[in-house]
Amino acid sequence: MPDMTAIKAFIAGCAGHVLSPDEAAFFREAQPWGFILFRRNVDTPDQVRRLTDTLRESVGRADAPVLVDQEGGRVQRLAPPHWPAYPPAAAYGRLPANDFLLRREVARLGARLIAHDLRAVGITVDCMPVLDVPVPGADSVIGDRAYGRDAREVAVLGRACAEGLLAGGVLPVVKHVPGHGRGNADSHHALPVVEAVREDLAASDFLPFRVLADMPLAMSAHIIYRALDPRRPATVSRRVIGEVIRGEIGFGGLLMSDDISMNALAGTIGERARAASRAGCDIVLHCNGRLEEMKTVAEVVPTLAGMARARAAAALARLAHEPEPFDAAEGRERLKSALAMGSVGAET
C-alpha cells in the first residue's frame, strides 16, 4: 500500500505515448497527486488507456487523478479521427436566445458526452468549464472558449457543463479564477495585467466563480489585477487567493495553479512552484513533461497535508458513484440536432 502521507502537492505531465523507465521511477519516488495529458501523449484510445493505467501503477494509487484539457473547439487534446470534434463553449451561447433552458440542457449534454469519452480511457478530471467573461479589446486567448460575454449566462452554462461532467464520472475544474476575460495578453507567452477597478471585477469577473464556488476543483489565473495586488499574479498572490478566491468568491475546493511553466510567471521553475504553494495554491500544476523540471518541483512543493489534503480527498470523493445511465449514440444525435439550430456546423 502506498504511504498516503507522502503524496506531494503537484500534478505532473509526461513526455510521450508511454512512460520511460526514468519517468516511472521518478513518479514512484516523488508521488505526485496526479497527472495531466496533452496532445503529445495521445494516439489511440487503447494507447491512452494503457498510459493512464501505467501512470496510476507508477504511484500505486488506483484513484490518482488523470487530467486533460478537453473543452472542445481550439482546446481539445483527444481529437478526430479517434474522438469526436466538439464545439467551443461559445456555440452553446449562440443557441436560440429565447430558449435558455435549451442552451443549458445542450451544454450539459455536450459535457456529458465528453465525460463518456474521457472515462472510457481512464481520464477522471477535465479542466473545464472556462468561467472567464471576455471584454472588448482583450486578448483572444479566451475568445470562443467562453460561453458568452454576460457573466450570468457564463455562470448558468458553466454550471450546466460542470454538472454534465460530474454526471459522467469526471471532475470539472473551473478556470481561470478570479477571471481571465480582461487579460491583455496570452499568459502562455506573457504576463497579462488587468487595470479594472475592484467593483467592476466583483460585478462581472468574479460572478461565475461565486455561482460555482461549490465545485471540487479550480485553477488560478496567471494575471496581475492592479486593484487586488499590483505586483503579483493571482497564482502567487496570498492577497488574491486569501481575500478574493477563498474570501469574496468563497471557493472552498482544491485550488491548483495554472501551468507554472507558462511564461507569465517569473523566476526559475523551483521559485515559481514554491511561490504558488506559499501563496495558497493547494496543488502546483507542471505540464511540459520535462523530467529535470519535474524533479525540481517535487523537491520544493510540500507534501499534501492539512486543509489541502482534506480538499483533495473531498474532490476525489465526488467520483465515488457510478456515472448516470447514458446512451452515448442517442446523445450524439441530440447534440448534433441542437447545435444545428445555432448554425455552428459542428460534427459529433
Side-chain angles (χ1 to χ4, degrees):
M1 288 290 291
D3 180 0
M4 304 305 288
T5 65
I7 297 172
K8 300 299 288 287
F10 77 108
I11 292 167
C14 59
H17 292 167
V18 298
L19 285 192
S20 70
D22 287 345
E23 287 174 329
F26 166 69
F27 293 148
R28 188 176 305 111
E29 176 67 23
Q31 288 291 313
W33 181 67
F35 304 94
I36 188 165
L37 303 185
F38 284 83
R39 288 296 296 272
R40 67 178 183 267
N41 308 122
V42 173
D43 184 15
T44 66
D46 286 346
Q47 171 269 323
V48 175
R49 181 80 231 194
R50 287 194 297 272
L51 178 58
T52 58
D53 287 345
T54 304
L55 288 167
R56 292 188 172 101
E57 289 167 2
S58 73
V59 293
R61 287 181 274 121
D63 66 346
V66 179
L67 295 73
V68 75
D69 292 284
Q70 190 77 348
E71 300 172 12
R74 290 178 287 144
V75 181
Q76 182 168 338
R77 312 305 187 200
L78 281 64
H82 297 293
W83 291 273
Y86 289 97
Y92 301 109
R94 290 197 294 263
L95 291 171
N98 63 345
D99 193 344
F100 208 87
L101 180 62
L102 172 69
R103 290 182 176 186
R104 188 182 68 188
E105 292 307 309
V106 176
R108 185 186 191 279
L109 174 60
R112 179 65 182 84
L113 285 163
I114 288 175
H116 176 82
D117 297 342
L118 299 184
R119 283 280 296 209
V121 293
I123 297 171
T124 52
V125 182
D126 191 1
C127 297
M128 74 168 191
V130 172
L131 299 185
D132 307 315
V133 185
V135 299
D139 188 89
S140 62
V141 64
I142 299 300
D144 66 357
R145 297 168 65 193
Y147 291 96
R149 292 177 178 263
D150 177 82
R152 289 173 177 79
E153 180 174 5
V154 170
V156 170
L157 296 182
R159 177 166 288 281
C161 164
E163 290 175 350
L165 291 176
L166 287 166
V170 171
L171 296 177
V173 179
V174 297
K175 62 186 188 184
H176 307 82
V177 62
H180 206 303
R182 297 179 192 267
N184 61 356
D186 180 346
S187 53
H188 292 87
H189 307 299
L191 175 60
V193 177
V194 169
E195 303 285 355
V197 300
R198 188 171 184 133
E199 291 76 13
D200 290 343
L201 293 171
S204 180
D205 303 60
F206 301 171
L207 189 151
F209 295 101
R210 287 200 301 269
V211 172
L212 277 82
D214 60 317
M215 287 295 124
L217 301 161
M219 180 185 292
S220 68
H222 295 337
I223 296 182
I224 285 179
Y225 305 87
R226 294 286 192 202
L228 307 179
D229 185 331
R231 296 192 304 116
R232 298 178 185 84
T235 297
V236 295
S237 170
R238 290 184 181 180
R239 184 183 304 172
V240 175
I241 291 175
E243 294 180 10
V244 178
I245 296 175
R246 296 297 188 192
E248 186 171 348
I249 289 173
F251 177 68
L254 189 77
L255 179 66
M256 68 179 70
S257 72
D258 203 345
D259 179 14
I260 62 165
S261 61
M262 292 162 62
N263 290 331
L265 298 183
T268 65
I269 284 294
E271 290 167 343
R272 298 175 190 187
R274 186 179 288 111
S277 293
R278 289 178 174 174
C281 289
D282 296 314
I283 296 284
V284 170
L285 177 63
H286 181 270
C287 295
N288 66 24
R290 296 173 185 166
L291 185 56
E292 290 308 309
E293 289 189 10
M294 291 191 286
K295 289 179 178 179
T296 299
V297 173
E299 289 173 359
V300 303
V301 299
T303 56
L304 199 59
M307 285 301 300
R309 184 177 176 185
R311 292 173 185 136
L316 294 183
R318 300 284 289 270
L319 296 177
H321 303 291
E322 288 294 314
E324 68 180 18
F326 184 63
D327 184 331
E330 187 270 341
R332 295 194 197 284
E333 288 303 314
R334 283 195 290 127
L335 182 62
K336 181 185 294 186
S337 297
L339 291 173
M341 298 175 67
S343 300
V344 297
E347 280 190 10
T348 59

